[in-house]
PDB file of all heavy atoms in Angstrom:
ATOM      1  N   ILE A  77     -30.444  33.027  47.291  1.00 84.00           N
ATOM      2  CA  ILE A  77     -29.182  33.351  46.592  1.00 84.00           C
ATOM      3  C   ILE A  77     -29.347  34.800  46.041  1.00 84.00           C
ATOM      4  O   ILE A  77     -28.470  35.554  45.991  1.00 84.00           O
ATOM      5  CB  ILE A  77     -29.092  32.290  45.445  1.00 84.00           C
ATOM      6  CG1 ILE A  77     -28.459  30.969  46.132  1.00 84.00           C
ATOM      7  CG2 ILE A  77     -28.033  32.869  44.435  1.00 84.00           C
ATOM      8  CD1 ILE A  77     -28.517  29.765  45.155  1.00 84.00           C
ATOM      9  N   PHE A  78     -30.618  35.046  45.399  1.00 81.00           N
ATOM     10  CA  PHE A  78     -30.789  36.480  44.863  1.00 81.00           C
ATOM     11  C   PHE A  78     -30.592  37.495  46.052  1.00 81.00           C
ATOM     12  O   PHE A  78     -30.034  38.475  45.825  1.00 81.00           O
ATOM     13  CB  PHE A  78     -32.200  36.543  44.354  1.00 81.00           C
ATOM     14  CG  PHE A  78     -32.252  35.948  42.871  1.00 81.00           C
ATOM     15  CD1 PHE A  78     -33.374  35.094  42.548  1.00 81.00           C
ATOM     16  CD2 PHE A  78     -31.242  36.175  41.987  1.00 81.00           C
ATOM     17  CE1 PHE A  78     -33.411  34.697  41.143  1.00 81.00           C
ATOM     18  CE2 PHE A  78     -31.259  35.688  40.675  1.00 81.00           C
ATOM     19  CZ  PHE A  78     -32.358  34.937  40.334  1.00 81.00           C
ATOM     20  N   ASP A  79     -31.181  37.218  47.195  1.00 86.00           N
ATOM     21  CA  ASP A  79     -31.054  38.104  48.309  1.00 86.00           C
ATOM     22  C   ASP A  79     -29.615  38.320  48.776  1.00 86.00           C
ATOM     23  O   ASP A  79     -29.215  39.458  48.944  1.00 86.00           O
ATOM     24  CB  ASP A  79     -31.817  37.710  49.541  1.00 86.00           C
ATOM     25  CG  ASP A  79     -33.389  37.708  49.312  1.00 86.00           C
ATOM     26  OD1 ASP A  79     -33.775  38.405  48.395  1.00 86.00           O
ATOM     27  OD2 ASP A  79     -34.119  37.013  50.081  1.00 86.00           O
ATOM     28  N   LEU A  80     -28.870  37.214  48.770  1.00 89.00           N
ATOM     29  CA  LEU A  80     -27.433  37.340  49.096  1.00 89.00           C
ATOM     30  C   LEU A  80     -26.727  38.117  48.014  1.00 89.00           C
ATOM     31  O   LEU A  80     -25.820  38.978  48.312  1.00 89.00           O
ATOM     32  CB  LEU A  80     -26.741  35.896  49.268  1.00 89.00           C
ATOM     33  CG  LEU A  80     -25.450  35.823  49.736  1.00 89.00           C
ATOM     34  CD1 LEU A  80     -25.201  36.396  51.161  1.00 89.00           C
ATOM     35  CD2 LEU A  80     -24.979  34.406  49.761  1.00 89.00           C
ATOM     36  N   ARG A  81     -27.072  37.812  46.809  1.00 83.00           N
ATOM     37  CA  ARG A  81     -26.472  38.556  45.651  1.00 83.00           C
ATOM     38  C   ARG A  81     -26.642  40.067  45.771  1.00 83.00           C
ATOM     39  O   ARG A  81     -25.784  40.813  45.502  1.00 83.00           O
ATOM     40  CB  ARG A  81     -26.863  37.990  44.294  1.00 83.00           C
ATOM     41  CG  ARG A  81     -26.136  38.628  43.169  1.00 83.00           C
ATOM     42  CD  ARG A  81     -26.665  38.110  41.856  1.00 83.00           C
ATOM     43  NE  ARG A  81     -26.163  36.732  41.679  1.00 83.00           N
ATOM     44  CZ  ARG A  81     -26.749  35.766  40.955  1.00 83.00           C
ATOM     45  NH1 ARG A  81     -27.861  36.026  40.134  1.00 83.00           N
ATOM     46  NH2 ARG A  81     -26.266  34.593  40.797  1.00 83.00           N
ATOM     47  N   GLU A  82     -27.932  40.367  46.033  1.00 85.00           N
ATOM     48  CA  GLU A  82     -28.245  41.862  46.137  1.00 85.00           C
ATOM     49  C   GLU A  82     -27.476  42.457  47.301  1.00 85.00           C
ATOM     50  O   GLU A  82     -27.089  43.621  47.227  1.00 85.00           O
ATOM     51  CB  GLU A  82     -29.823  42.029  46.406  1.00 85.00           C
ATOM     52  CG  GLU A  82     -30.579  41.777  45.174  1.00 85.00           C
ATOM     53  CD  GLU A  82     -30.243  42.716  43.963  1.00 85.00           C
ATOM     54  OE1 GLU A  82     -30.065  43.981  44.241  1.00 85.00           O
ATOM     55  OE2 GLU A  82     -30.072  42.271  42.950  1.00 85.00           O
ATOM     56  N   LYS A  83     -27.374  41.738  48.404  1.00 91.00           N
ATOM     57  CA  LYS A  83     -26.644  42.250  49.624  1.00 91.00           C
ATOM     58  C   LYS A  83     -25.182  42.526  49.318  1.00 91.00           C
ATOM     59  O   LYS A  83     -24.626  43.507  49.697  1.00 91.00           O
ATOM     60  CB  LYS A  83     -26.827  41.233  50.692  1.00 91.00           C
ATOM     61  CG  LYS A  83     -26.043  41.663  52.048  1.00 91.00           C
ATOM     62  CD  LYS A  83     -26.251  40.528  53.002  1.00 91.00           C
ATOM     63  CE  LYS A  83     -25.266  40.656  54.196  1.00 91.00           C
ATOM     64  NZ  LYS A  83     -25.301  39.492  55.089  1.00 91.00           N
ATOM     65  N   ASN A  84     -24.711  41.748  48.418  1.00 91.00           N
ATOM     66  CA  ASN A  84     -23.171  41.706  48.110  1.00 91.00           C
ATOM     67  C   ASN A  84     -22.894  42.322  46.717  1.00 91.00           C
ATOM     68  O   ASN A  84     -21.866  42.373  46.298  1.00 91.00           O
ATOM     69  CB  ASN A  84     -22.571  40.378  48.180  1.00 91.00           C
ATOM     70  CG  ASN A  84     -22.550  39.725  49.518  1.00 91.00           C
ATOM     71  OD1 ASN A  84     -22.098  40.449  50.586  1.00 91.00           O
ATOM     72  ND2 ASN A  84     -22.983  38.549  49.691  1.00 91.00           N
ATOM     73  N   ARG A  85     -23.930  42.839  46.109  1.00 87.00           N
ATOM     74  CA  ARG A  85     -23.801  43.400  44.704  1.00 87.00           C
ATOM     75  C   ARG A  85     -22.728  44.433  44.664  1.00 87.00           C
ATOM     76  O   ARG A  85     -21.937  44.445  43.641  1.00 87.00           O
ATOM     77  CB  ARG A  85     -25.186  43.946  44.232  1.00 87.00           C
ATOM     78  CG  ARG A  85     -25.060  44.377  42.741  1.00 87.00           C
ATOM     79  CD  ARG A  85     -26.443  44.792  42.150  1.00 87.00           C
ATOM     80  NE  ARG A  85     -27.324  43.584  42.035  1.00 87.00           N
ATOM     81  CZ  ARG A  85     -27.357  42.745  41.047  1.00 87.00           C
ATOM     82  NH1 ARG A  85     -26.495  42.934  40.125  1.00 87.00           N
ATOM     83  NH2 ARG A  85     -28.222  41.750  40.981  1.00 87.00           N
ATOM     84  N   PRO A  86     -22.598  45.454  45.508  1.00 91.00           N
ATOM     85  CA  PRO A  86     -21.574  46.448  45.306  1.00 91.00           C
ATOM     86  C   PRO A  86     -20.180  45.821  45.241  1.00 91.00           C
ATOM     87  O   PRO A  86     -19.412  46.215  44.380  1.00 91.00           O
ATOM     88  CB  PRO A  86     -21.663  47.302  46.549  1.00 91.00           C
ATOM     89  CG  PRO A  86     -23.144  47.189  47.010  1.00 91.00           C
ATOM     90  CD  PRO A  86     -23.483  45.689  46.669  1.00 91.00           C
ATOM     91  N   GLU A  87     -19.863  44.887  46.095  1.00 94.00           N
ATOM     92  CA  GLU A  87     -18.575  44.254  46.035  1.00 94.00           C
ATOM     93  C   GLU A  87     -18.426  43.431  44.745  1.00 94.00           C
ATOM     94  O   GLU A  87     -17.336  43.366  44.237  1.00 94.00           O
ATOM     95  CB  GLU A  87     -18.321  43.278  47.255  1.00 94.00           C
ATOM     96  CG  GLU A  87     -18.243  43.936  48.601  1.00 94.00           C
ATOM     97  CD  GLU A  87     -19.539  44.154  49.386  1.00 94.00           C
ATOM     98  OE1 GLU A  87     -20.613  44.013  48.701  1.00 94.00           O
ATOM     99  OE2 GLU A  87     -19.447  44.211  50.675  1.00 94.00           O
ATOM    100  N   ILE A  88     -19.422  42.630  44.384  1.00 88.00           N
ATOM    101  CA  ILE A  88     -19.406  41.825  43.201  1.00 88.00           C
ATOM    102  C   ILE A  88     -19.211  42.724  41.999  1.00 88.00           C
ATOM    103  O   ILE A  88     -18.224  42.451  41.150  1.00 88.00           O
ATOM    104  CB  ILE A  88     -20.625  41.016  43.085  1.00 88.00           C
ATOM    105  CG1 ILE A  88     -20.743  39.929  44.149  1.00 88.00           C
ATOM    106  CG2 ILE A  88     -20.711  40.361  41.682  1.00 88.00           C
ATOM    107  CD1 ILE A  88     -22.039  39.207  44.248  1.00 88.00           C
ATOM    108  N   MET A  89     -19.916  43.835  41.896  1.00 88.00           N
ATOM    109  CA  MET A  89     -19.735  44.686  40.768  1.00 88.00           C
ATOM    110  C   MET A  89     -18.265  45.285  40.685  1.00 88.00           C
ATOM    111  O   MET A  89     -17.807  45.511  39.622  1.00 88.00           O
ATOM    112  CB  MET A  89     -20.785  45.882  40.732  1.00 88.00           C
ATOM    113  CG  MET A  89     -22.284  45.238  40.632  1.00 88.00           C
ATOM    114  SD  MET A  89     -22.413  44.070  39.225  1.00 88.00           S
ATOM    115  CE  MET A  89     -22.299  45.175  37.903  1.00 88.00           C
ATOM    116  N   ALA A  90     -17.771  45.643  41.922  1.00 93.00           N
ATOM    117  CA  ALA A  90     -16.493  46.196  41.872  1.00 93.00           C
ATOM    118  C   ALA A  90     -15.460  45.245  41.438  1.00 93.00           C
ATOM    119  O   ALA A  90     -14.534  45.579  40.630  1.00 93.00           O
ATOM    120  CB  ALA A  90     -16.128  46.697  43.351  1.00 93.00           C
ATOM    121  N   ILE A  91     -15.607  43.944  41.728  1.00 93.00           N
ATOM    122  CA  ILE A  91     -14.632  42.924  41.201  1.00 93.00           C
ATOM    123  C   ILE A  91     -14.911  42.795  39.744  1.00 93.00           C
ATOM    124  O   ILE A  91     -13.794  42.714  38.978  1.00 93.00           O
ATOM    125  CB  ILE A  91     -14.924  41.487  41.891  1.00 93.00           C
ATOM    126  CG1 ILE A  91     -14.602  41.627  43.402  1.00 93.00           C
ATOM    127  CG2 ILE A  91     -14.299  40.335  41.196  1.00 93.00           C
ATOM    128  CD1 ILE A  91     -15.068  40.490  44.217  1.00 93.00           C
ATOM    129  N   PHE A  92     -16.021  42.739  39.233  1.00 90.00           N
ATOM    130  CA  PHE A  92     -16.250  42.704  37.837  1.00 90.00           C
ATOM    131  C   PHE A  92     -15.655  43.902  37.057  1.00 90.00           C
ATOM    132  O   PHE A  92     -14.979  43.702  36.011  1.00 90.00           O
ATOM    133  CB  PHE A  92     -17.787  42.689  37.399  1.00 90.00           C
ATOM    134  CG  PHE A  92     -18.432  41.311  37.647  1.00 90.00           C
ATOM    135  CD1 PHE A  92     -19.706  41.251  37.876  1.00 90.00           C
ATOM    136  CD2 PHE A  92     -17.687  40.196  37.640  1.00 90.00           C
ATOM    137  CE1 PHE A  92     -20.338  39.951  38.207  1.00 90.00           C
ATOM    138  CE2 PHE A  92     -18.256  38.853  37.887  1.00 90.00           C
ATOM    139  CZ  PHE A  92     -19.652  38.917  38.133  1.00 90.00           C
ATOM    140  N   GLN A  93     -15.783  45.078  37.606  1.00 92.00           N
ATOM    141  CA  GLN A  93     -15.301  46.278  36.972  1.00 92.00           C
ATOM    142  C   GLN A  93     -13.773  46.254  36.903  1.00 92.00           C
ATOM    143  O   GLN A  93     -13.157  46.541  35.902  1.00 92.00           O
ATOM    144  CB  GLN A  93     -15.738  47.495  37.798  1.00 92.00           C
ATOM    145  CG  GLN A  93     -15.393  48.814  37.066  1.00 92.00           C
ATOM    146  CD  GLN A  93     -15.968  48.923  35.657  1.00 92.00           C
ATOM    147  OE1 GLN A  93     -17.199  48.626  35.505  1.00 92.00           O
ATOM    148  NE2 GLN A  93     -15.277  49.443  34.746  1.00 92.00           N
ATOM    149  N   THR A  94     -13.114  45.794  38.064  1.00 95.00           N
ATOM    150  CA  THR A  94     -11.722  45.741  38.024  1.00 95.00           C
ATOM    151  C   THR A  94     -11.297  44.697  36.986  1.00 95.00           C
ATOM    152  O   THR A  94     -10.234  45.034  36.333  1.00 95.00           O
ATOM    153  CB  THR A  94     -11.256  45.253  39.493  1.00 95.00           C
ATOM    154  OG1 THR A  94     -11.603  46.349  40.346  1.00 95.00           O
ATOM    155  CG2 THR A  94      -9.653  45.142  39.574  1.00 95.00           C
ATOM    156  N   ARG A  95     -11.891  43.531  36.971  1.00 93.00           N
ATOM    157  CA  ARG A  95     -11.509  42.480  35.999  1.00 93.00           C
ATOM    158  C   ARG A  95     -11.675  42.961  34.638  1.00 93.00           C
ATOM    159  O   ARG A  95     -10.765  42.797  33.805  1.00 93.00           O
ATOM    160  CB  ARG A  95     -12.490  41.337  36.268  1.00 93.00           C
ATOM    161  CG  ARG A  95     -12.225  40.133  35.219  1.00 93.00           C
ATOM    162  CD  ARG A  95     -13.387  39.245  35.019  1.00 93.00           C
ATOM    163  NE  ARG A  95     -14.505  40.039  34.499  1.00 93.00           N
ATOM    164  CZ  ARG A  95     -15.847  39.520  34.414  1.00 93.00           C
ATOM    165  NH1 ARG A  95     -16.077  38.393  35.004  1.00 93.00           N
ATOM    166  NH2 ARG A  95     -16.797  40.305  33.981  1.00 93.00           N
TER     167      ARG A  95
END
Side-chain angles (χ1 to χ4, degrees):
I77 290 168
F78 281 137
D79 291 343
L80 185 61
R81 184 179 289 157
E82 285 301 314
K83 178 180 164 188
N84 295 311
R85 185 171 294 278
E87 292 97 335
I88 292 170
M89 296 312 291
I91 292 168
F92 285 155
Q93 187 61 41
T94 301
R95 177 203 61 193

